[in-house]
Amino acid sequence: MTEYVTVSADTPLARTGAIKLHGPEAFEGMRKAGRLAAEILDAVTPHVVPGVTTGELDAMIFRLIDEAGAVPATLGYRGYTHSTCISINHVVCHGIPSDRALKDGDIANIDVTPLLDGWHGDTSRTYLVGNVPIKARRLVDVTYECLMLGIEQARPGNRLGDVAHAIQQHAEAHRYGVVRDFCGHGVGRLFHDAPEVVHAGRPGTGPEFKPGMILTIEPMINIGKPDVKVLDDGWTAVTRDRSLSAQFEHSIGITEDGCEIFTLSPAGYTKPPYI
C-alpha cells in the first residue's frame, strides 16, 4: 500500500519511500526555483546554434545560476562534474557537456536544476539547432505533446498510471518508442524522491494523486525502439538502435483541483521553435 506523509519546512530531509504532501510554503519555494530554471532555459535559447559547444552552454548556465544566488544541483551529484545535462540526437538523457560543437540539424535537450533557497527547480527542453529535418521536428513536437497530455492527467483522484497511459498512447500512435529505463520523480527539497513517475503503463494503476504532491513528468520518446544503454562514462544514455530521442520536463505540484506547473517559460517558449 502506498504511504503518504505530510511534511513541512521543518521536517528532516529523508528518503523514506513515502510520498510527501507539501504545504503552501513548499509551493512558494518551488515557484521561485521553477521560475529560475525556466528563465535560465529562456536565456540560453538564442545561444543554442550551430558551432556552440555544449561545454560553452554549460559554463553559461553555471554563471546564470550562480548570479541568481542558486547552485546547480547536478554539480557534484554522485560525482557528476557539470551544471547541466545536454543530450544530442540519439542521446536519451544525461549527456555530459564537452567540447562537442552543435551542428546544423541537431536536436539537443538541455536539463537544468538550480537549487534555490533549498528547493530544486527541475526542467528540460529540447532545442532545434539550425535547419532540422521534418522527421526530427515531428518527434520533438510529439514529445512535447506527450508531456502536456501527461500533465493533464495529474490531478487529485487520478493515478500515476493515467499519466503513463496518456503519454504511451500518444507516442505509440505515432509509432515512437517510450523509454522505460528512466522516469520522473518526486522533487522539492530533495532532488529525487518518491514516487517514481513512469511514462508507459496502464490507466487506473499506481499511487493516487493527492494535493500537496510535488513531482516531475519528463517523457523520453524515441523515433525507434524504446531500448537504451548507458555508455562507459556511467552517465550518457543512448538509444540502442541509434534512433533520435527527444525529451521535455516540467516540475509540477498537485492542487485541490488539478496541478500547477512551476517551470513554465516566462518568455512563452513552450515548444520549438522558440521565437
Side-chain angles (χ1 to χ4, degrees), residues 54-209:
T54 55
E56 289 169 337
L57 292 172
D58 182 69
M60 184 184 308
I61 289 168
F62 173 81
R63 289 195 301 271
L64 291 168
I65 293 174
D66 183 61
E67 289 168 1
V71 296
T74 56
L75 189 58
Y77 180 79
R78 296 183 178 177
Y80 193 74
T81 57
H82 295 275
S83 301
T84 61
C85 295
I86 303 179
S87 303
I88 305 169
N89 295 335
H90 73 289
V91 178
V92 175
C93 61
H94 303 157
I96 301 174
S98 68
D99 59 1
R100 197 274 202 199
L102 297 181
K103 298 177 182 178
D104 188 66
D106 284 344
I107 61 173
N109 177 272
I110 302 180
D111 191 338
V112 299
T113 309
L115 174 59
L116 179 66
D117 298 331
W119 298 97
H120 293 80
D122 194 358
T123 189
S124 81
R125 300 178 200 162
T126 295
Y127 294 77
L128 307 177
V129 184
N131 185 24
V132 174
I134 291 175
K135 185 176 180 181
R137 286 174 178 262
R138 185 60 183 149
L139 171 68
V140 172
D141 284 345
V142 170
T143 303
Y144 177 77
E145 291 162 5
C146 284
L147 170 67
M148 299 312 293
L149 287 168
I151 288 174
E152 285 180 10
Q153 296 298 316
R155 58 181 184 266
N158 276 8
R159 295 182 177 273
L160 287 169
D162 297 315
V163 170
H165 177 70
I167 291 169
Q168 181 180 6
Q169 186 177 47
H170 189 63
E172 292 182 351
H174 291 84
R175 298 187 177 181
Y176 295 153
V178 182
V179 171
R180 270 76 161 175
D181 298 64
F182 301 95
C183 62
H185 49 85
V187 70
R189 290 196 297 148
L190 290 170
F191 192 0
H192 297 101
D193 202 2
E196 290 191 344
V197 183
V198 299
H199 304 114
R202 293 184 293 113
T205 62
E208 181 180 346
F209 286 107

Side-chain angles (χ1 to χ4, degrees), residues 27 40 43 179 226 236 268:
F27 273 59
I40 288 165
V179 171
T236 309

Side-chain angles (χ1 to χ4, degrees), residues 4-8 19-23 27 209-214:
Y4 298 83
V5 57
T6 300
V7 296
S8 70
I19 297 174
K20 294 178 175 64
L21 303 179
H22 300 267
F27 273 59
F209 286 107
K210 295 187 178 184
M213 289 172 61
I214 296 176

Side-chain angles (χ1 to χ4, degrees), residues 32-51:
K32 293 177 181 177
R35 182 180 178 88
L36 174 59
E39 288 173 342
I40 288 165
L41 292 185
D42 287 351
V44 301
T45 296
H47 303 281
V48 185
V49 294

